[in-house]
Amino acid sequence: MDNTTLIAFAINAFLVQNIILTQFLGLCSFFGVSNKEESALGMGLSVLFVITVSSVVTWLVYNLVLVPYDLTYLRTIVFILIVSALVQIVEMFIKKVSPILYKSLGIYLPLITTNCAVLGVALLNIDNGYDFSHMLVFSMATAFGYTFIIYIFAYIRDHLDKAQLPRALRGVPIALITAGIMSLIMTGFI
Amino acid sequence: MGFKRTLKRDKRKFNKMLKTAVIDENPTFVTFLALCPTLGVTNNVANAIGMGISVIFVLAMSNVLVSSISRWVPDEIRIPVYITIIATLVTVLEMVMETYMPNLYTSLGIFLPLIVVNCIILGRAESFASQNKVKDSLFDGITVGIAFSLSLILLATFREILGTGGIAMLNIQIFSSENSMELFVQSTGAFLAFGILAWIISDLRMKQAKKAKKRRA
């Protein structure tokens, strides 16, 4: 595969097929943590790290263990166990190596296990039949797209909180409508 | 006689729980849990019903299993144990659906295995089933599942009628599909439709709360 198609593929995964706005994955954290820009960035970076590592591990396990032994039906169980074990390991590793980083990311890590973006990307890699390089590019670009959107959204939401809205519209309803308008921008690419 | 009385009591309890789950603590429109499948599969009513039934099955079974074994599960590893139980149930569901309902299996796509990380299921296992009796947990699973399905169907009806002009599953065509807003079956419409519905519902809830307060005063 030559480089230009791989770059186009990365941009496609980053913006056009954005994981939050067009694939509807990772929405709980998108609406839950995106109140402050700082915490949005922290969550985004932890997810970026976990998605990349877990995609590589799940892809390898799927193609080297599950496919040769004809165990592909165990995919869901194996993947979720890998993801939750990985999150635990990453948490312990960061705690040991960099306590400062742990302090800023620590609270988000346990939440990532149930973040559908992580399991979703692992499953999409398999469903779309990517080879190793495409898998790596796809998961990293997708995770960057996640961080990018969650960060921008946190900024917008910060301003929305100050705006005078009808009481019923405050909170999640206006956040949903804003996300809809952001997603309209992405449809412009198609 | 005793059996009949228990049955009656159970029925009353079930109805009460159903009312709480659907109206007071609706998982979709009040607590905003499990947003991914809510937005992802509501592009038509058939998908929403398929997803709703799948969630009712997994939620009821996982609640029963969790409440029956929670006595023996050490506190530190309870979340991995719950996740394994849920993942096993989802795998069973996937295999059954792939064999008997291949069309639904393809159209639900990635959202079927993602039931594993549905916050409602883990949330109910953690907050209700692990502390309550098996029968109550079964009721809780079914009622919360029904509440989730009803919300999905409401959102899907809204989106499909606006987006295609009718409901394909029931062969209803209200207006011509040429005049429909195709936007609503696409990803943008999912956010917009859910936002508008959530707005209307929260407005209605606020009005009702105000009325109840006035009545009490």
Side-chain angles (χ1 to χ4, degrees):
Chain A
M1 196 51 90
D2 60 290
N3 285 333
T4 41
T5 39
L6 215 56
I7 290 169
F9 179 73
I11 292 172
N12 188 43
F14 175 60
L15 279 179
V16 183
Q17 293 289 326
N18 187 280
I19 186 163
I20 294 177
L21 296 177
T22 65
Q23 312 266 355
F24 310 117
L25 297 175
L27 288 172
C28 290
S29 56
F30 180 60
F31 290 112
V33 221
S34 62
N35 281 322
K36 284 196 205 107
E37 287 163 54
E38 253 173 65
S39 53
L41 200 62
M43 183 71 182
L45 291 177
S46 348
V47 167
L48 176 72
F49 188 66
V50 174
I51 282 187
T52 314
V53 178
S54 70
S55 297
V56 172
V57 176
T58 48
W59 191 88
L60 288 175
V61 168
Y62 187 81
N63 282 302
L64 300 179
V65 181
L66 296 186
V67 171
Y69 293 99
D70 206 14
L71 293 170
T72 46
Y73 62 89
L74 285 176
R75 187 177 76 159
T76 313
I77 300 179
V78 171
F79 281 15
I80 188 70
L81 290 179
I82 289 175
V83 170
S84 39
L86 261 177
V87 171
Q88 287 284 322
I89 294 169
V90 168
E91 197 181 344
M92 286 191 276
F93 181 76
I94 294 180
K95 204 175 184 178
K96 191 99 185 167
V97 175
S98 159
I100 303 164
L101 191 64
Y102 180 75
K103 231 178 191 173
S104 55
L105 296 188
I107 42 169
Y108 308 115
L109 283 169
L111 290 172
I112 293 177
T113 313
T114 51
N115 188 330
C116 21
V118 180
L119 189 65
V121 171
L123 291 166
L124 279 176
N125 282 330
I126 305 302
D127 280 353
N128 295 345
Y130 292 141
D131 56 16
F132 191 80
S133 59
H134 272 81
M135 179 272 297
L136 201 60
V137 170
F138 178 77
S139 29
M140 285 190 77
T142 306
F144 268 115
Y146 177 89
T147 315
F148 180 64
I149 295 297
I150 204 172
Y151 186 65
I152 294 179
F153 193 66
Y155 183 78
I156 298 176
R157 244 188 136 174
D158 202 32
H159 286 261
L160 279 181
D161 286 347
K162 292 169 197 147
Q164 293 204 326
L165 294 166
R167 252 181 59 217
L169 195 56
R170 272 180 216 164
V172 181
I174 189 67
L176 279 161
I177 292 173
T178 316
I181 295 167
M182 283 172 82
S183 144
L184 197 59
I185 304 167
M186 300 302 164
T187 40
F189 286 111
I190 300 168
Chain B
M1 202 59 198
F3 177 71
K4 238 180 187 169
R5 204 174 296 149
T6 349
L7 207 67
K8 217 173 179 181
R9 205 170 55 215
D10 281 347
K11 208 173 162 191
R12 213 178 299 137
K13 198 173 187 179
F14 183 83
N15 288 338
K16 205 176 152 209
M17 282 169 89
L18 188 64
K19 187 174 168 279
T20 317
V22 175
I23 296 171
D24 302 326
E25 292 167 12
N26 190 296
T28 313
F29 288 108
V30 179
T31 48
F32 297 106
L33 292 171
L35 292 170
C36 313
T38 309
L39 293 171
V41 301
T42 49
N43 49 354
N44 64 55
V45 178
N47 280 357
I49 292 174
M51 188 61 169
I53 290 168
S54 314
V55 169
I56 293 175
F57 165 75
V58 176
L59 191 52
M61 294 292 288
S62 83
N63 263 2
V64 167
L65 289 174
V66 166
S67 76
S68 42
I69 64 158
S70 65
R71 210 182 312 166
W72 296 285
V73 178
D75 227 26
E76 297 83 27
I77 57 157
R78 63 183 200 288
I79 300 287
V81 171
Y82 299 164
I83 289 182
T84 318
I85 291 173
I86 298 168
T88 314
L89 290 167
V90 171
T91 308
V92 171
L93 181 74
E94 270 185 278
M95 289 159 100
V96 170
M97 201 175 269
E98 194 178 6
T99 319
Y100 293 104
M101 288 169 269
N103 291 335
L104 191 62
Y105 178 80
T106 2
S107 61
L108 287 181
I110 189 173
F111 289 102
L112 192 59
L114 281 181
I115 294 177
V116 179
V117 286
N118 188 317
C119 341
I120 297 174
I121 296 172
L122 198 62
R124 291 325 285 183
E126 168 79 0
S127 70
F128 193 93
S130 60
Q131 289 143 22
N132 284 285
K133 290 201 186 91
V134 176
K135 196 161 76 183
D136 290 356
S137 302
L138 176 68
F139 284 1
D140 181 73
I142 295 173
T143 50
V144 174
I146 289 174
F148 180 66
S149 317
L150 288 178
S151 319
L152 284 189
I153 293 167
L154 174 69
L155 185 57
T157 316
F158 186 71
R159 279 182 69 189
E160 201 180 354
I161 288 178
L162 284 179
T164 64
I167 298 170
M169 200 180 102
L170 304 172
N171 273 325
I172 299 173
Q173 194 73 30
I174 297 169
F175 51 87
S176 154
S177 60
E178 285 165 20
N179 302 333
S180 65
M181 293 179 273
E182 214 182 297
L183 187 78
F184 274 96
V185 283
Q186 290 163 358
S187 55
T188 313
F191 287 107
L192 289 179
F194 190 24
I196 293 165
L197 278 182
W199 178 17
I200 295 170
I201 285 169
S202 102
D203 195 52
L204 289 177
R205 284 172 58 84
M206 274 175 189
K207 275 191 188 128
Q208 208 166 36
K210 209 186 264 175
K211 217 184 268 172
K213 211 174 170 185
K214 208 181 259 174
R215 206 180 298 139
R216 226 177 292 133

